[in-house]
Amino acid sequence: MWDDAFPSFLIGLREGLEGGLIVSILIATLVRAEAKSRLPQVWTGVLAAVALAMSFGAVLTFSAANMPTTAQEAFGGTLSVIAVAFVTAMVFWMRRSARTLAGEIKEKITGALAMGAGMLVVTSFLAVGREGLETALFLWTTAQAAGESAGPMIGAGVGIAIATGLCWGLYRRVLKINLTKFFTATGAVLIVVAAGVLGYGLRDLQEGGVLPGKSAYAFDLSRSIDPSAWYSTLVQGVFNLTPTMTWLQVVAYVGYLGVVMALFVRGVRGATAKPAKTVAAAGTAAGAATDVAAEPGAGAGAGAGAGAGAGAGAAAAGPSGVRARRRPVWLVPAAVVAVPAVVAGAVVALSGSKPAGAGTVSVSERDCGKGFTAPKPGRQTFQMHNTGDKASEVYLIDPATNAVYGEIEGLAPGTTRDLVATVAGGSYAWRCVPTGGKAVTSAAVRVSGGGAAKPVVPVAEADLAAPLTAYKQYVNQGLSTLVAQTKQLSDDMAGGDLNAARTDWLTAHRTYASLGAAYGTFQDFDKKINGRTAGLPDGVHDKAFTGFHRIEYGLWHGESASDLKAPAAQLATDVTGLQKAFPAQDFDPADLPLRTHEILENTLQFELTGEADQGSGTTLATADANLAGTRELLGVLRPLLAARDARLLSVVDGDITRMQKLLDSAHHDGSWTPVGQLDPIARARLNGATGQLLEDLAPVPDLLEIRKSA
């Protein structure tokens, strides 16, 4: 939470200080002009600006709540980009205007005094309103990026509180701050923060389908960097840099940071090149605080109190001595707060963001579904409260088909969590499955209306029994082939035939790679058979470096057959041991759907980057074998997938065909082009095709997840 607070703290401090300086200058100008009776008008304008900012924040928060997921991503991304534009403009404006701020405000106040009370309210409203709207937009954006509001709100609150104290100190002449240096330093940090917000916003636009390239990753360090580590959380919270970023995010981040920071630094240097203005700016408080401090006895509170006593609410005596009736002093302030609040409420209500039928629903063996009433069609948020004494899974289902519209796993006793689901016309019920208990289904309700809701037909463990059996047969056959191939490789080494060994090594390694879905069940055998050097103190020379990659390194780095005879014999022994152990090893049925995605994730990370290459230059051959393994796995799962999302299968089949063609184009006359020697365009296309296939395979684990609701 605290890592998410820093950007909001910075914006609260800076925007609060800007707004506070403006209010201080307004008050000091009126006090020095002996117009204390007009102070309530200033505070009315300030109050109106605060009310508008809070109403704007409420509209952003609640209007987006009922949007479809992709629309929420697009909405949030657009506002993030707008927020970056506002913050950038604010940084440059304050750097340029700090020295002349007091004079500009005085000029506006003088004109407003001559034009009446209304103009003074408008002047103070406009002077403070921009800071309020910028703050509301930036806070909403940072809360969206953080995924929670507590940290950003606390950070902003602390920043505004400190800014208020600083403004009071400047006004009372108990504090001196070089505002030029302050706004320069905070401006530079805000530019870095805004670059991260821009990257986050563009990612949202990609997720929302507004911008392309959401699968074109510039880097993916998620396997090397722990996203939950304190340093990862800190960097992500403060700078919005994540372990995985697309090319668009990286280019935008670097481009924005380079261009904007260069312009900002050049502007700062230009300002310091003017000695006379620099001296003036470096005084008590950049000129502005000097004017504010000229009336130390009339602080903000004192001025407001004096104005309230002689303000608009006091009765004035007319020429005849008869007191004229005037409107109550509270009327205008109440109106300026009520109007934006009412308008915001109307916008929220018209947006339909209040979830119908989204009251608290009980979850337990006894009270499953209590409090559930028929909701209206559309996206709904249900508050699920576990009233029992056991953790429970809870599902929103179609009672006729058991299809799942939404679910929560592991809802602890006494806790409440939101369940978001899209509801259309049809029947709905809750199914509660307490840990160690029996499933309980609530009474069904009927929803009238149109719309479309796409449920997931649940999968029971028994549904995966046949695919698991078929896949085990495939693996057993592959292991039998692999035993013969590794024995032949060992014989090549024993006979001193290194050319035959290189050919037979690739054949055997491709066979092993095609069994990718079984890696999780190979246990320690996989490390012995196909382990890499990662984590080994002596790298390729470490005694624990064995298997295919150890032999590969020796074959393509000039080692003799006698040097490789023992590693080859050990590989053959380990493969034989795996063949014998595999039938008795546990193979969790739930792993099958996961492997459809994980095989190619490894391919993208290791084979298509060349990281797995130990000299043979055949990682594309391994990628081809991995693709074959993925195709085999999808084959045994096809009946289950076809019943749940036939269109997805069609899309995935097209992706596989495209990736296969790109791999085939790197295979000529029995040899494979090393990935590092691919044409840059061809390599980018292959990476893009693999990324797209991975993205389209991503729903498979969810579609085929074993659910207790079945």
Side-chain angles (χ1 to χ4, degrees):
M1 179 179 75
W2 300 111
D3 47 284
D4 297 322
F6 177 75
S8 297
F9 165 77
L10 190 62
I11 200 73
L13 176 63
R14 187 181 170 103
E15 294 279 14
L17 190 56
E18 286 186 31
L21 283 174
I22 291 172
V23 173
S24 298
I25 295 168
L26 288 171
I27 293 172
T29 303
L30 289 177
V31 171
R32 294 181 67 183
E34 298 183 352
K36 292 182 179 180
S37 63
R38 308 292 292 276
L39 285 174
Q41 297 160 16
V42 171
W43 289 113
T44 298
V46 172
L47 190 62
V50 173
L52 178 64
M54 296 180 68
S55 300
F56 178 56
V59 169
L60 293 179
T61 301
F62 295 107
S63 294
N66 202 40
M67 293 179 177
T69 303
T70 53
Q72 288 187 36
E73 300 283 3
F75 182 69
T78 300
L79 290 182
S80 295
V81 174
I82 294 174
V84 170
F86 279 175
V87 169
T88 305
M90 174 265 291
V91 166
F92 281 91
W93 177 81
M94 201 58 194
R95 188 208 68 202
R96 183 179 64 252
S97 304
R99 294 185 296 275
T100 60
L101 183 63
E104 293 177 4
I105 296 295
K106 283 183 183 179
E107 188 176 335
K108 291 180 180 179
I109 287 292
T110 302
L113 283 171
M115 298 181 68
M119 281 306 299
L120 192 55
V121 172
V122 171
T123 299
S124 58
F125 170 77
L126 293 177
V128 180
R130 190 190 73 169
E131 276 70 26
L133 291 176
E134 287 177 350
T135 303
L137 179 57
F138 196 87
L139 282 181
W140 186 87
T141 301
T142 52
Q144 290 292 109
E148 53 99 14
S149 57
M153 292 302 293
I154 291 174
V158 172
I160 292 172
I162 293 176
T164 303
L166 292 175
C167 289
W168 181 88
L170 290 171
Y171 190 94
R172 305 292 302 201
R173 280 190 172 180
V174 298
L175 185 67
K176 292 184 179 181
I177 297 177
N178 187 321
L179 293 181
T180 300
K181 291 184 177 180
F182 173 84
F183 286 122
T184 298
T186 56
V189 178
L190 269 178
I191 289 172
V192 177
V193 172
V197 174
L198 177 62
Y200 169 82
L202 293 177
R203 180 58 180 168
D204 267 0
L205 290 173
Q206 289 179 312
E207 294 288 349
V210 177
L211 295 176
K214 65 179 179 179
S215 300
Y217 294 109
F219 57 82
D220 183 359
L221 305 178
S222 57
R223 291 182 179 270
S224 304
I225 298 176
D226 182 4
S228 62
W230 67 268
Y231 52 86
S232 300
T233 305
L234 182 64
V235 171
Q236 184 168 345
V238 175
F239 302 111
N240 272 304
L241 293 175
T242 59
T244 303
M245 296 182 72
T246 64
W247 278 109
L248 179 61
Q249 287 180 280
V250 172
V251 170
Y253 184 93
V254 174
Y256 173 88
L257 196 58
V259 173
V260 176
M261 189 66 79
L263 292 173
F264 183 77
V265 171
R266 187 174 68 178
V268 171
R269 289 175 177 171
T272 57
K274 302 175 181 179
K277 290 189 177 181
T278 301
V279 172
T284 301
T290 301
D291 292 328
V292 172
E295 193 72 28
S320 61
V322 179
R323 294 173 66 87
R325 291 188 62 189
R326 303 187 66 179
R327 61 178 175 267
V329 68
W330 52 264
L331 184 59
V332 174
V336 300
V337 173
V339 169
V342 170
V343 172
V347 172
V348 171
L350 291 175
S351 71
S353 62
K354 184 179 179 180
T360 301
V361 180
S362 297
V363 177
S364 73
E365 291 177 289
R366 184 177 57 187
D367 295 330
C368 184
K370 184 178 179 181
F372 179 48
T373 57
K376 293 181 180 179
R379 186 178 176 86
Q380 307 296 338
T381 301
F382 302 94
Q383 292 185 322
M384 312 307 298
H385 179 65
N386 190 341
T387 59
D389 57 1
K390 299 177 181 177
S392 181
E393 296 184 12
V394 56
Y395 304 89
L396 179 63
I397 65 169
D398 179 343
T401 64
N402 288 330
V404 177
Y405 291 90
E407 63 186 293
I408 293 178
E409 297 181 357
L411 182 62
T415 60
T416 302
R417 282 164 58 187
D418 287 346
L419 186 151
V420 180
T422 300
V423 175
S427 294
Y428 296 85
W430 293 103
R431 182 160 293 165
C432 307
V433 189
T435 301
K438 295 183 178 180
V440 180
T441 304
S442 72
V445 300
R446 185 77 186 175
V447 175
S448 301
K454 190 175 182 180
V456 176
V457 179
V459 172
E461 188 168 341
D463 295 328
L464 286 169
L468 181 58
T469 298
Y471 194 76
K472 280 185 172 181
Q473 291 175 351
Y474 164 74
V475 173
N476 276 320
Q477 292 173 359
L479 288 175
S480 296
T481 302
L482 184 63
V483 166
Q485 291 171 342
T486 53
K487 186 177 185 308
Q488 180 60 53
L489 176 61
S490 179
D491 291 343
D492 293 339
M493 297 298 185
D497 192 344
L498 291 179
N499 288 330
R502 293 186 183 94
T503 300
D504 292 336
W505 175 89
L506 180 58
T507 301
H509 191 237
R510 280 171 52 83
T511 298
Y512 185 79
S514 69
L515 308 179
Y519 285 175
T521 62
F522 288 172
Q523 299 174 357
D524 292 339
F525 283 102
D526 183 53
K527 186 176 181 180
K528 296 176 182 178
I529 294 172
N530 203 42
R532 286 182 284 269
T533 58
L536 298 180
D538 296 327
V540 295
H541 303 295
D542 198 286
K543 292 181 179 180
F545 183 37
T546 61
F548 279 111
H549 291 297
R550 167 65 184 92
I551 297 170
E552 176 190 10
Y553 179 83
L555 285 173
W556 277 273
H557 283 84
E559 293 188 27
S560 66
S562 60
D563 292 334
L564 296 174
K565 181 178 178 180
Q570 184 61 50
L571 174 62
T573 299
D574 290 336
V575 168
T576 301
L578 173 60
Q579 182 193 30
K580 293 177 179 178
F582 178 72
Q585 289 178 336
D586 291 331
F587 200 138
D588 187 348
D591 285 346
L592 278 180
L594 291 173
R595 295 296 188 268
T596 59
H597 192 269
E598 291 176 347
I599 298 172
L600 291 179
E601 278 186 338
N602 286 339
T603 303
L604 189 61
Q605 182 177 2
F606 298 114
E607 274 71 39
L608 297 188
T609 61
E611 184 177 336
D613 186 21
Q614 291 296 336
S616 68
T618 60
T619 57
L620 291 183
T622 307
D624 181 71
N626 287 337
L627 184 61
T630 301
R631 188 186 290 110
E632 182 68 29
L633 184 56
L634 285 170
V636 300
L637 295 174
R638 184 170 291 271
L640 292 176
L641 287 170
R644 287 159 178 80
D645 197 337
R647 180 184 172 279
L648 176 64
L649 272 178
S650 176
V651 171
V652 167
D653 288 343
D655 292 341
I656 289 176
T657 300
R658 181 163 52 253
M659 184 177 174
Q660 187 65 66
K661 288 181 178 178
L662 291 170
L663 288 170
D664 289 345
S665 66
H667 187 205
H668 304 285
D669 300 325
S671 63
W672 291 84
T673 303
V675 68
Q677 296 179 18
L678 282 178
D679 175 86
I681 296 177
R683 187 170 182 177
R685 286 175 178 170
L686 180 56
N687 287 334
T690 308
Q692 186 62 54
L693 176 54
L694 276 169
E695 184 174 329
D696 292 332
L697 285 171
V700 172
D702 186 60
L703 286 173
L704 301 185
E705 179 185 351
I706 296 175
R707 290 177 167 88
K708 295 179 181 179
S709 63

